[in-house]
């Protein structure tokens, strides 16, 4: 044994043990039996016992460390978790993505400054291409051909007849799927970075989007144009004449020759213009003033036809015609209806009280201006059929076919944030019975909704007025913007003020809200296009930098077609030309701007195309 100890192997083994010993003096070490050493087999090295057990000391065998010298190393945890995507479905994950994005509060909404039509189309194409490229459809695995199941034969097997086994004809070719790379049009040989479906989508013809000119083609100065949200000072007649109220004067601008004429000047009376409105078919212009007077002028002769003084106790901010019926809304919270053909001391034949604050918006549902008594009647100068000075029939206003007629519903908006729908059909005149019960039908031949109400005496006495057919309370600010949809019967669009910023759409047949749009800005005016199913809105105050814009919306998708800018103040006034192509806007910056907003009506260039146009037959 001593020979092995003194051998070179034993010396190297002892030298290795001395290198692993610590600096503790050898004589102070404790003798520990290696059989009771508490060491972790994974971390502590396995000591090699010396060949001479008599010289075995505590330093030769690792023992338990003292708590003072033990330093625990903190375990480090990763801050990322990478899941395994082997079992994930990319197509399902793509469809679960939220395309709407985070919803922002109304006060942070901004009206876009550019048209979104081209951007929407480009985003839709990009989304389709991204979907087809990132999540392509999984290829279908080829199905092994199966032998068609044969019905079990009930005939017993017999000896085959004499028949040729070897034939010298080629068998019929069976449809076998060829190799993928043998097809010259395979995607593997394509030089395009996208798939064939994406290339087909990119190369397919796209729908031509309507382009809207972003700059006005004409700008007119309008000095003293009031910057008042509750006034209506601009209107465009069916004879292509624009009426504008500037201070105490009313000016007429003829579109075809740009001639300007002064219709009236109320400075001598110390009065100011607060509203103007043209009759739908004719040349009569109604003018309301701050003192509550109502004047009717004939535009071709620049003459005053009739004056109702006073028509209201306070200013008249809203006017609306329906044939020979003139409705006026005032700051005294009342809506008066007058028949301009009769001269009964200027008293209205009907009064409506449905608002608790100023009435700032009025709009009849009859866009074409069909009158109650005669559809062909137009309000104009005396001598014209149905014009001013014609005697009243003394009965209730006649209704249209089926009892509904054009313009049978009136919408009023007020500073009390309410919208009222009125139905004046079945009303009686002064000579009628004092009170009677009427019910408006709701069927196809009926009118708006179903309501049973009491018709009071309309002798001109101050009464409480009738109850509105519908009353909408959803707006949170003053409602001045009102517009009836000319394409869909019974659809009304309303716009709220600064604290509301919403455009809401109503079904006046059922009294329900169809949709709403948060514009992010004060809604001052609304008007529908006659050539396309689109809506124009003008805006004012906003909580963001984007304001004073004219927006065109597509209905019912409520997507923005264009956004027009140019005014430096609130766009408070809006009117449309009789051909439906041009709109004019007025603002507190004392300018009138003309915009080509809508396309030309189809067949508008063809005039006199009827069969009874005998002028074409004369050579």
């Amino acid at each position: 044994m001593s020979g092995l100890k003194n051998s070179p192997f034993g010396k190297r083994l002892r030298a290795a043990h001395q290198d692993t010993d610590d600096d503790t003096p050898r004589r102070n070490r404790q003798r520990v039996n290696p059989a009771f050493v508490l060491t972790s087999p994974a971390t502590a090295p396995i000591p090699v016992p010396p060949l001479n057990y008599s010289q075995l000391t505590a330093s030769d065998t690792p023992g338990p460390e003292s708590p003072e010298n033990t330093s625990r190393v903190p375990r480090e945890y990763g801050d990322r978790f990478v899941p395994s995507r082997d079992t994930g479905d990319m197509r399902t994950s793509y469809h679960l993505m939220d395309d709407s994005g985070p919803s922002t509060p109304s006060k942070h909404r901004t009206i876009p400054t550019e048209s979104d039509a081209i951007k929407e189309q480009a985003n839709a194409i990009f989304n389709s291409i991204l979907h087809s490229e990132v999540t392509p459809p999984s290829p279908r695995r080829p199905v092994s051909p199966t032998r068609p199941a044969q019905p079990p034969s009930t005939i017993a097997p017999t000896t085959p007849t004499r028949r040729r086994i070897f034939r010298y004809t080629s068998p019929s070719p069976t449809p076998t799927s060829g190799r993928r790379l043998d097809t010259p049009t395979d995607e593997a040989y394509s030089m395009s970075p996208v798939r064939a479906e994406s290339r087909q989508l990119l190369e397919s013809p796209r729908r031509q989007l309507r382009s809207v000119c972003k700059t006005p083609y004409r700008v007119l100065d309008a000095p003293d144009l009031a910057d008042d949200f509750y006034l209506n000072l601009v209107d465009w007649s069916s004879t292509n004449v624009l009426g504008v109220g500037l201070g105490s004067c009313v000016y007429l601008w003829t579109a075809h020759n740009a001639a300007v004429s002064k219709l009236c000047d109320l400075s001598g009376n110390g009065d100011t213009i607060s509203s103007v409105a043209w009759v739908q078919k004719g040349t009569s212009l109604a003018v309301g003033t701050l003192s509550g007077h109502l004047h009717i002028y004939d535009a071709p002769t620049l003459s005053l036809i009739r004056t109702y003084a006073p028509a209201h106790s306070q200013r008249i901010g809203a006017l609306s015609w329906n044939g020979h019926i003139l409705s006026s809304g005032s700051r005294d919270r009342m809506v008066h209806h007058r028949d301009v053909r009769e001269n009964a001391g200027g008293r209205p034949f009907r009064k409506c009280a449905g608002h608790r604050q100023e009435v700032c918006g009025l709009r009849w549902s009859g866009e074409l201006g069909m009158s109650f008594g005669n559809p062909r009647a137009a309000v104009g100068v005396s001598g014209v059929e149905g014009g001013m000075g014609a005697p009243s029939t003394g009965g209730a206003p006649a209704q249209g076919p089926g009892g509904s007629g054009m313009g049978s519903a009136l919408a009023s908006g007020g500073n009390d944030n309410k919208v009222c729908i009125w139905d004046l059909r079945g009303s009686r005149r002064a000579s009628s019975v004092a009170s009677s019960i009427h019910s408006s039908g709701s069927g196809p031949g009926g009118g708006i909704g179903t309501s049973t109400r009491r018709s009071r005496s309309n002798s001109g006495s101050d009464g409480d007025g009738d109850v509105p057919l519908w009353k909408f309370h959803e707006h949170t600010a003053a409602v001045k913007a009102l517009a009836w949809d000319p394409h869909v019967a019974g659809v009304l669009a309303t716009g709220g003020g600064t604290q509301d910023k919403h455009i809401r759409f109503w079904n006046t047949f059922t009294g329900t809200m169809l949709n709403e749009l948060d514009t992010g800005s004060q809604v001052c005016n609304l008007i529908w296009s006659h050539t396309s199913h689109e809506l124009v809105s003008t805006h004012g105050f906003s909580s963001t930098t984007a304001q004073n814009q004219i927006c065109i919306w597509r209905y019912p998708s409520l997507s923005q077609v264009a956004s027009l800018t140019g005014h430096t103040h609130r766009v408070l006034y809006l009117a449309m030309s009789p051909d439906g192509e041009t709109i004019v806007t007025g603002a507190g910056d004392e300018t009138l701007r003309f915009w080509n907003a809508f396309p030309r009506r189809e067949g508008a260039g063809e005039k006199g195309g009827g069969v009874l146009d005998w002028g074409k037959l004369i050579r």
Side-chain angles (χ1 to χ4, degrees):
M1 197 69 182
S2 60
L4 182 60
K5 176 180 178 181
N6 297 328
S7 63
F9 176 75
K11 293 179 179 179
R12 290 196 300 271
L13 189 61
R14 289 195 300 271
H17 280 283
Q18 292 177 1
D19 294 339
T20 59
D21 291 344
D22 52 7
D23 298 335
T24 306
R26 186 178 294 268
R27 65 182 61 181
N28 296 332
R29 298 176 184 173
Q30 298 179 357
R31 299 291 298 273
V32 181
N33 192 340
F36 301 96
V37 175
L38 301 177
T39 57
S40 176
T43 58
I46 300 177
V48 180
L51 298 179
N52 188 3
Y53 286 92
S54 61
Q55 299 180 359
L56 184 64
T57 60
S59 61
D60 296 334
T61 58
E65 298 179 356
S66 60
E68 295 80 13
N69 299 332
T70 303
S71 60
R72 293 187 177 182
V73 180
R75 187 174 181 181
E76 297 181 358
Y77 294 92
D79 59 345
R80 294 183 59 194
F81 172 73
V82 181
S84 176
R85 300 184 184 274
D86 296 338
T87 59
D89 189 357
M90 289 293 293
R91 180 173 292 273
T92 304
S93 303
Y94 183 87
H95 284 292
L96 291 179
M97 293 175 60
D98 187 10
D99 296 335
S100 60
S103 59
T104 57
S106 173
K107 62 180 181 179
H108 299 298
R109 290 283 306 270
T110 58
I111 301 177
T113 57
E114 296 295 335
S115 175
D116 287 344
I118 300 177
K119 187 183 298 183
E120 288 178 2
Q121 188 182 45
N123 290 340
I125 296 176
F126 176 77
N127 192 18
S128 302
I129 294 177
L130 183 64
H131 180 236
S132 62
E133 293 295 323
V134 175
T135 60
S138 56
R140 297 181 180 179
R141 296 181 178 179
V143 182
S144 302
T146 57
R147 180 176 298 177
Q150 298 180 356
S153 177
T154 57
I155 303 175
T158 57
T159 303
T161 58
R162 183 175 296 180
R163 187 177 300 176
R164 289 186 178 182
I165 300 178
F166 300 100
R167 295 183 180 181
Y168 297 97
T169 59
S170 301
S172 59
T174 57
T176 58
S177 57
R179 295 179 57 188
R180 176 169 172 248
L181 298 180
D182 293 342
T183 306
T185 60
D186 192 82
E187 294 182 0
Y189 303 110
S190 176
M191 301 298 293
S192 176
V194 295
R195 302 177 184 273
E197 295 83 0
S198 302
R199 291 198 309 272
Q200 183 179 3
L201 181 62
L202 289 173
E203 295 172 357
S204 61
R206 298 195 241 327
R207 179 175 57 90
Q208 294 293 332
L209 298 177
R210 181 170 64 87
S211 60
V212 180
C213 183
K214 301 300 181 61
T215 58
Y217 71 89
R218 186 189 297 270
V219 179
L220 298 179
D221 291 331
D224 297 332
L225 185 62
D227 188 11
D228 194 335
F229 176 79
Y230 299 97
L231 305 184
N232 294 272
L233 300 176
V234 177
D235 198 14
W236 208 326
S237 72
S238 60
T239 58
N240 209 11
V241 178
L242 184 67
V244 184
L246 302 178
S248 59
C249 303
V250 175
Y251 291 89
L252 304 180
W253 181 81
T254 307
H256 66 274
N257 58 6
V260 179
S261 58
K262 181 188 291 187
L263 179 64
C264 64
D265 188 355
L266 304 180
S267 59
N269 301 330
D271 210 348
T272 306
I273 307 299
S274 59
S275 58
V276 296
W278 289 96
V279 68
Q280 290 98 330
K281 300 293 182 180
T283 58
S284 297
L285 179 66
V287 178
T289 65
L290 292 182
S291 61
H293 293 187
L294 182 60
H295 309 281
I296 300 179
Y297 292 89
D298 182 59
T301 60
L302 303 178
S303 60
L304 177 64
I305 299 178
R306 184 160 299 162
T307 298
Y308 301 96
H312 290 269
S313 59
Q314 298 187 40
R315 70 178 181 187
I316 302 175
L319 294 171
S320 183
W321 288 86
N322 188 13
H324 54 267
I325 303 300
L326 176 60
S327 302
S328 58
S330 172
R331 200 171 188 176
D332 60 5
R333 303 172 297 176
M334 298 295 295
V335 178
H336 291 178
H337 306 279
R338 291 178 171 84
D339 190 341
V340 298
R341 300 173 301 176
E342 62 183 20
N343 190 4
R347 293 181 179 181
F349 71 87
R350 192 156 189 173
K351 297 181 180 180
C352 298
H355 295 276
R356 296 185 177 181
Q357 294 189 32
E358 179 178 5
V359 179
C360 51
L362 278 180
R363 189 71 63 185
W364 279 97
S365 61
E367 295 290 343
L368 298 180
M370 180 183 293
S371 65
F372 284 124
N374 186 1
R376 291 166 42 190
V379 180
V381 296
S382 59
V384 180
E385 179 184 4
M388 294 184 184
S392 174
T393 57
Q399 300 174 1
S404 60
M406 293 288 293
S408 60
L410 174 69
S412 64
N415 197 31
D416 57 353
N417 312 339
K418 303 299 186 293
V419 178
C420 296
I421 307 298
W422 309 89
D423 189 3
L424 302 186
R425 293 172 303 165
S427 62
R428 301 283 180 162
R429 295 300 173 85
S431 59
S432 63
V433 183
S435 62
S436 59
I437 301 300
H438 296 274
S439 177
S440 59
S442 60
I448 302 174
T450 302
S451 66
T452 303
R453 64 183 184 272
R454 182 175 298 275
S455 178
R456 292 177 170 82
S457 175
N458 298 312
S459 59
S461 60
D462 294 337
D464 296 335
D466 292 339
V467 178
L469 184 64
W470 302 107
K471 195 169 187 179
F472 305 130
H473 305 264
E474 279 72 10
H475 283 287
T476 59
V479 181
K480 174 191 174 185
L482 302 168
W484 292 91
D485 190 348
H487 307 282
V488 181
V491 175
L492 174 68
T494 61
T498 307
Q499 300 300 325
D500 187 74
K501 305 182 181 67
H502 280 74
I503 299 176
R504 290 181 168 88
F505 301 87
W506 310 90
N507 183 352
T508 57
F509 290 107
T510 60
T512 57
M513 185 173 65
L514 301 175
N515 208 338
E516 62 179 354
L517 172 65
D518 186 1
T519 63
S521 183
Q522 177 189 29
V523 183
C524 301
N525 281 284
L526 291 174
I527 194 169
W528 288 92
S529 170
H530 295 282
T531 61
S532 59
H533 207 182
E534 295 174 347
L535 179 71
V536 182
S537 62
T538 63
H539 301 272
F541 292 137
S542 175
S543 56
T544 60
T545 57
Q547 55 186 357
N548 308 328
Q549 297 190 353
I550 303 103
C551 297
I552 303 176
W553 310 92
R554 184 179 293 108
Y555 187 82
S557 64
L558 300 184
S559 59
Q560 190 180 91
V561 177
S563 179
L564 311 176
T565 58
H567 286 287
T568 58
H569 288 66
R570 294 182 297 172
V571 188
L572 299 175
Y573 311 108
L574 173 66
M576 181 179 291
S577 62
D579 58 4
E581 302 176 15
T582 305
I583 60 173
V584 58
T585 56
D589 55 7
E590 298 183 350
T591 61
L592 295 175
R593 298 175 184 267
F594 296 80
W595 314 80
N596 287 321
F598 299 106
R600 183 181 297 272
R601 191 194 305 265
E602 295 182 1
E606 300 177 0
K607 296 182 180 180
V611 179
L612 299 179
D613 189 4
W614 302 105
K616 288 187 176 182
L617 303 179
I618 301 177
R619 296 185 178 180

